[in-house]
Amino acid sequence: MPTSPPDLPSDFADVAWRGRILRHEIAWVGLPDSRYPTVVFLHEGLGSVALWKDFPERFCRANGLRGLVYSRYGYGRSTPRPLDEPLPFDFMHQQAWEVLPALLAQLGIERPWLFGHSDGASIALLHGAHHDDTLSGIVVMAPHIMVEDIGLAAIRQARSAFLEGALRERLARHHLDVDSAFWGWNDAWLDPAFAAWDIREEVARIRVPLLAIQGEDDEYGTLEQVRGIARLAPQTQLLILPGCGHSPYRDAAGRVIAEAGRFIVEHA
């Protein structure tokens, strides 16, 4: 049975997509009267508004920014994805090129900064490749631009933890339908056909300011993910964090708040 996550200071925005209405959980954070463009936070593959915890609020308050946090279709309190509806091979492309533009238009957000983590970072990059002229810039943490064996191994470990450990119980606090959220992500990444997923060609089209952040101990990807971005988009600045894993906003929150915030303000 679906389990309701705890109460959050969130609202909803309905978006028409492919003949249906998707309800998206949203939360505004930071300074409502900020003079800078809105920062839109895009969560990881198993993330949601709640799983960001207080990072977006802290980030925006520390840097004088306004932010929007939202849960994608199938996550958090957004419309759950039916279990018999698998995530397609191009699910990140669909989110970047179809759903995110519709959500931004619905909320009247113009020329935002995108701040993405993991799958959300890849969605931010894909959006930037096709909507470069509508963005102020992009910050990505632990992005994926190609599939690596290290990432697939970590995703298999997550599968075991969900089936045999406490991961399902932990995630159930944050998703209306935890099984839909988990299996959609896990099955998509572990589908043998997904090994060919590669967005380097799209990344090379990005022209806006770009900051790419990754921990040296990221269990889901090597540093080639961010170094590859820097080669493809030469305007990229890199922030590589020692002693940090796949979630820099948790493992190195202070540095991310300071340095990503500085990057956004300096490019305003």
Side-chain angles (χ1 to χ4, degrees), residues 13 28 38 66 68 100-112:
W28 294 99
T38 300
R66 185 191 194 210
L68 173 80
L100 180 55
L103 179 64
L104 296 176
Q106 175 76 5
L107 296 174
I109 298 175
E110 298 180 353
R111 299 195 64 80

Side-chain angles (χ1 to χ4, degrees), residues 15-212:
V15 173
W17 180 70
R18 298 194 175 190
R20 53 183 158 168
I21 301 297
L22 300 181
R23 172 155 286 196
H24 285 78
E25 175 188 25
I26 65 170
W28 294 99
V29 296
L31 307 183
D33 58 350
S34 175
R35 66 185 181 89
Y36 299 109
T38 300
V39 181
V40 177
F41 293 85
L42 292 85
H43 63 73
E44 62 185 303
L46 292 175
S48 67
V49 169
L51 278 161
W52 279 107
K53 299 190 182 297
D54 65 348
F55 174 80
E57 174 71 20
R58 291 168 57 204
F59 179 84
C60 289
R61 288 282 173 185
N63 294 292
L65 302 167
R66 185 191 194 210
L68 173 80
V69 193
Y70 76 99
S71 298
R72 293 192 295 277
Y73 170 42
Y75 298 91
R77 294 182 176 213
S78 295
T79 302
R81 178 184 297 275
L83 275 171
D84 60 356
E85 181 187 319
L87 278 176
F89 177 83
D90 63 345
F91 74 93
M92 285 184 265
H93 294 72
Q94 290 179 9
Q95 287 291 322
W97 297 346
E98 300 174 26
V99 182
L100 180 55
L103 179 64
L104 296 176
Q106 175 76 5
L107 296 174
I109 298 175
E110 298 180 353
R111 299 195 64 80
W113 278 86
L114 299 184
F115 193 124
H117 175 222
S118 192
D119 284 16
S122 302
I123 292 168
L125 294 170
L126 285 164
H127 185 86
H130 275 224
H131 298 276
D132 190 88
D133 59 343
T134 69
L135 293 180
S136 291
I138 302 171
V139 177
V140 292
M141 294 185 298
H144 310 290
I145 62 172
M146 60 193 172
V147 177
E148 294 181 299
D149 289 343
I150 184 178
L152 296 179
I155 291 168
R156 292 188 191 97
Q157 289 176 356
R159 189 185 192 98
S160 296
F162 189 82
L163 289 170
E164 302 164 11
L167 181 59
R168 186 183 187 281
E169 181 180 354
R170 293 201 306 271
L171 290 175
R173 297 194 293 267
H174 305 292
H175 299 290
L176 285 176
D177 189 335
V178 66
D179 294 298
S180 169
F182 181 83
W183 292 115
W185 166 79
N186 199 262
D187 286 346
W189 271 94
L190 295 181
D191 186 325
F194 200 77
W197 183 89
D198 189 316
I199 64 169
R200 284 175 286 190
E201 182 176 339
E202 287 89 348
V203 170
R205 302 186 187 128
I206 298 172
R207 297 292 179 268
V208 295
L210 177 54
L211 174 64

Side-chain angles (χ1 to χ4, degrees), residues 227-251:
R227 288 170 176 160
I229 292 172
R231 287 196 301 273
L232 293 162
Q235 79 278 17
T236 302
Q237 292 188 29
L238 294 181
L239 175 57
I240 296 174
L241 300 168
C244 176
H246 187 60
S247 299
Y249 75 95
R250 291 198 300 261
D251 296 347

